[in-house]
Amino acid sequence: MTESATTTMPATSTARSTRNSSIVFDNVTKTYPGQTAHALDSLSIEVRSGELVCLVGPSGGGKTTALQLVNRLVDLSSGEIRIGDTNIMDLSPIELRRTIGYAIQQSGLFPHYTVAENIATVPTILKWDRKRIEARTKELLELVGLTPVENWLKRYPGQLSGGQQQRVGIARALAADPPVMLMDEPFGALDPITRVAVQDEFLDIHRAVGKTTLFVTHDIDEAIKMADRIAILKPGGLLAQYDTPAEVLARPADDFVAEFLGAERGLKRLALTTVAEVLAAGRDRRGSSPVAAAAGSTEAGNPVSAAEWPEVSATMTLREALSLVSAAHAQGARVMDAGSHLGDVTLHELICPPADDPARTTEGARI
Amino acid sequence: MDVLVGAFPFMTANFALLLEKTGEHLVISLIPLLAAIVVGVPLGVWLGHIHKGEFLAVSITNIGRALPSLALIAILIGIVGIGMLNAMIALFLLAFPPILSYAFQAVDSVDADLTKAARGMGLAPMQVLTKVELPLGLPMIISGIRTAAVLTVSSATIATIAGSGGLGDVILNQVAYGMEGVIAAALWVAVLAILVDQVFVLLLKIASPAGVKHLQRAAVAA
Ligand SMILES: Nc1ncnc2c1ncn2[C@@H]1O[C@H](COP(=O)(O)OP(=O)(O)O)[C@@H](O)[C@H]1O
Ligand SMILES: [Mg+2]
């Protein structure tokens, strides 16, 4: 994540850490006792400070194992894992875990604890004073969007929806402001609509607090949407590819990755770029009059004239815009932002975005 | 019917006797019960916490279940001999299996995702036990104690054979007290067993953290 990301989040004590909090896997192998196959095979990756890396792959690919090696719920067979400059074996497991936020599927909330008590779990064992815990709990509930906080503090997990439970799970993981977060399919049990909402919120939070995050998911679309970089594991715990979503989609390392990305790989790529970015790139290429360029196009058989092209918002992804353009049988779209007409994009620009340039990040698509 | 009705005048006429026998009865049943709790709950909880000894906890219970308590008491008295202490040892051995196995199951069966989340957040093993496993296992631990309590109080009647005193003295002595007396004392034992059972229900209510009470209400409502 960029250091310049601004925040509107109430993240006063969830400040960005300037310390090195990268997670480094150095030739890490795990073989469970009594098994011949490796669960994880010579994994070497670095999750940079503040970066969000998604670990994807088929079930049994070693994703959970990789995650639990970091907080020592699982013991290394060989290799080394470092957080910042510290080898994880130099700390006691308990010390280590208290510096790592941990969120899992089904939230793992304690059903006999209220929302407030759940969030306060780690601060309580760290013996923070009551006032500080109370303030922190409220701050976190605001951060995850459960407001007004008074309505949520005293509820039990059983009285919350899946999405609300997951938000509390994230708040609990963030409670002691750990520099590193491990998340194991945290949104795996949510319905599609709730899932998208919680993903969006989590990305906002991630941008605001800048925790180094290792995020396991079996859902490649979730990884494309969330990740700065994606690590794809194959069965046997072998790393197939480790790169940005754009690069993985544009150039899958092998047949396994290509198949894992699916037949819609080309379309998925379009979800990484916003209409605004295409518009800006088009202006760069053609000078300041993209409308004339598009309208004057000599392409054959425009069934709908440029003036009647469908309107798309600048923040839409190309995939969304393309869907509208296709539905309207048009050759392009009018880009609108808060009621004003910013310019037009052509069908050609929508399906051949400038995102092939690996230097471009996926930041824009996340807004 | 007449004897059943006659049981109530017997109770009023022999109230002092019944009270005295009740006192003895409680002593010979509650002391072994408490001893079984003191040994069985920590042992079962600890085995459940480390997820070991399922075989021990379960097979002990199965032996306890397979043998009728009457036979068990008779056998145990046959083994340990006559006398109040021996009767109590027999009752202890009767109360121990359900307490141990319920306590084991209570902790062993706590959702592994929850204990993993707890450990993953940095709770020490003892904190996982006291903050997660014990509260969530408490209702089941108490269930085991209640089962043992009813078993002990009712079986203490038979322990009279070992010469321990208690309400069994009346129930097993129809010659002296008549059918009315036998039935009166039997009813008395039944009520006593229910009362002791309810004491532990009350204890659960008092001892439960708010969250455990909430879960129990939710379970009832569902
Ligand atoms: N505790 C364990 N004991 C033995 N084998 C395990 C254990 N946990 C996972 N495995 C095995 O290791 C492999 C990787 O599992 P896992 O890391 O859970 O994969 P994923 O999270 O990608 O589904 C699988 O073959 C699984 O069966
Ligand atoms: Mg997994």
Side-chain angles (χ1 to χ4, degrees):
Chain A
M1 297 297 302
T2 56
E3 295 303 318
S4 64
T6 54
T7 172
T8 54
M9 297 290 168
T12 46
S13 62
T14 316
R16 280 165 174 285
S17 168
T18 46
R19 274 203 359 251
N20 173 14
S21 58
S22 61
I23 306 170
V24 178
F25 287 77
D26 194 347
N27 206 15
V28 169
T29 295
K30 173 65 189 181
T31 318
Y32 285 101
Q35 302 213 337
T36 45
H38 297 310
L40 200 64
D41 194 351
S42 321
L43 180 68
S44 292
I45 60 172
E46 174 178 3
V47 184
R48 297 187 203 111
S49 277
E51 196 177 24
L52 196 168
V53 165
C54 281
L55 207 50
V56 300
S59 181
K63 306 182 294 294
T64 296
T65 300
L67 208 67
Q68 294 186 344
L69 283 167
V70 177
N71 65 4
R72 292 183 63 182
L73 285 175
V74 171
D75 292 322
L76 285 165
S77 299
S78 68
E80 191 177 296
I81 297 177
R82 292 183 298 276
I83 295 179
D85 304 319
T86 312
N87 185 329
I88 58 165
M89 300 311 286
D90 291 345
L91 297 171
S92 79
I94 290 170
E95 258 180 302
L96 173 75
R97 290 170 192 158
R98 288 178 187 175
T99 65
I100 299 175
Y102 185 48
I104 60 176
Q105 190 171 357
Q106 308 286 14
S107 80
L109 293 179
F110 303 139
H112 60 301
Y113 275 15
T114 61
V115 165
E117 289 166 343
N118 265 291
I119 295 175
T121 307
V122 177
T124 303
I125 57 176
L126 293 176
K127 301 207 160 54
W128 289 13
D129 70 60
R130 205 176 50 80
K131 279 225 170 65
R132 184 173 171 210
I133 292 179
E134 228 168 72
R136 180 66 178 159
T137 304
K138 290 182 177 168
E139 178 190 36
L140 284 164
L141 277 176
E142 270 173 39
L143 184 70
V144 299
L146 293 177
T147 51
V149 296
E150 283 70 25
N151 290 356
W152 301 97
L153 290 169
K154 295 267 178 299
R155 294 212 200 178
Y156 286 95
Q159 300 167 318
L160 306 180
S161 72
Q164 290 159 353
Q165 289 185 21
Q166 220 45 257
R167 290 181 175 94
V168 176
I170 291 169
R172 183 174 71 173
L174 286 167
D177 202 18
V180 169
M181 295 274 280
L182 302 177
M183 309 184 78
D184 196 348
E185 308 206 19
F187 310 143
L190 302 180
D191 65 84
I193 294 173
T194 311
R195 183 194 291 219
V196 167
V198 180
Q199 284 170 346
D200 289 340
E201 279 170 30
F202 180 70
L203 278 174
D204 283 343
I205 293 168
H206 176 72
R207 256 182 252 122
V209 301
K211 308 274 179 210
T212 309
T213 304
L214 190 54
F215 187 112
V216 164
T217 174
H218 62 260
D219 177 357
I220 183 68
D221 290 303
E222 183 165 76
I224 291 168
K225 174 176 177 180
M226 313 270 294
D228 294 312
R229 287 193 288 170
I230 300 178
I232 303 171
L233 291 173
K234 340 186 207 204
L238 275 164
L239 182 67
Q241 190 166 8
Y242 183 38
D243 217 319
T244 60
E247 191 56 22
V248 167
L249 286 166
R251 278 173 280 277
D254 59 19
D255 290 347
F256 172 82
V257 175
E259 193 172 323
F260 189 72
L261 296 171
E264 288 192 37
R265 171 160 71 85
L267 287 176
K268 285 174 180 161
R269 235 169 93 225
L270 297 183
L272 293 173
T273 310
T274 61
V275 173
E277 289 174 295
V278 167
L279 200 59
R283 281 212 184 89
D284 292 347
R285 266 205 310 276
R286 291 183 308 240
S288 58
S289 183
V291 181
S297 129
T298 55
E299 277 171 61
N302 261 13
V304 179
S305 74
E308 291 161 41
W309 283 354
E311 293 183 355
V312 300
S313 98
T315 56
M316 274 186 184
T317 68
L318 297 189
R319 194 175 178 171
E320 291 164 330
L322 192 62
S323 169
L324 290 175
V325 169
S326 168
H329 298 278
Q331 293 289 325
R334 293 160 57 79
V335 183
M336 307 296 288
D337 185 41
S340 67
H341 181 206
L342 297 182
D344 292 354
V345 290
T346 65
L347 186 57
H348 179 77
E349 285 173 308
L350 286 177
I351 59 177
C352 298
D356 285 2
D357 176 2
R360 294 188 70 90
T361 67
T362 59
E363 292 297 310
R366 299 234 200 99
I367 292 164
Chain B
M1 203 57 209
D2 284 353
V3 278
L4 198 58
V5 174
F8 292 96
F10 180 92
M11 285 187 203
T12 30
N14 299 280
F15 195 65
L17 170 78
L18 285 174
L19 271 192
E20 183 200 331
K21 292 295 166 191
T22 302
E24 292 170 8
H25 200 97
L26 283 177
V27 169
I28 53 165
S29 49
L30 291 189
I31 288 177
L33 179 66
L34 291 179
I37 293 171
V38 167
V39 182
V41 170
L43 183 61
V45 163
W46 179 68
L47 289 174
H49 175 68
I50 59 173
H51 302 286
K52 295 231 165 74
E54 176 159 21
F55 175 75
L56 177 74
V58 171
S59 49
I60 281 183
T61 316
N62 285 343
I63 294 170
R65 278 218 193 98
L67 288 171
S69 59
L70 207 156
L72 194 64
I73 283 287
I75 294 168
L76 290 173
I77 288 170
I79 295 169
V80 295
I82 297 284
M84 184 154 156
L85 182 66
N86 291 337
M88 288 203 285
I89 291 173
L91 289 173
F92 170 84
L93 294 175
L94 195 65
F96 185 70
I99 289 175
L100 177 73
S101 86
Y102 274 73
F104 171 80
Q105 301 263 358
V107 173
D108 182 60
S109 67
V110 168
D111 187 352
D113 277 348
L114 289 183
T115 50
K116 185 163 276 183
R119 288 194 296 134
M121 286 190 292
L123 271 69
M126 209 54 186
Q127 291 168 324
V128 176
L129 183 69
T130 57
K131 285 171 179 278
V132 182
E133 291 173 329
L134 275 182
L136 290 176
L138 187 62
M140 198 169 174
I141 294 173
I142 300 277
S143 290
I145 295 176
R146 287 175 58 189
T147 304
V150 172
L151 204 58
T152 324
V153 170
S154 52
S155 303
T157 310
I158 303 156
T160 299
I161 300 167
S164 59
L167 288 160
D169 282 352
V170 181
I171 295 174
L172 298 180
N173 197 350
Q174 195 192 340
V175 179
Y177 300 107
M179 202 55 197
E180 289 85 359
V182 172
I183 289 175
L187 285 174
W188 206 269
V189 170
V191 170
L192 206 57
I194 293 169
L195 283 179
V196 171
D197 179 47
Q198 288 305 305
V199 165
F200 287 103
V201 174
L202 193 70
L203 197 71
L204 175 63
K205 282 217 177 96
I206 296 168
S208 290
V212 174
K213 281 184 200 144
H214 161 79
L215 282 185
Q216 293 208 291
R217 277 196 304 274
V220 170

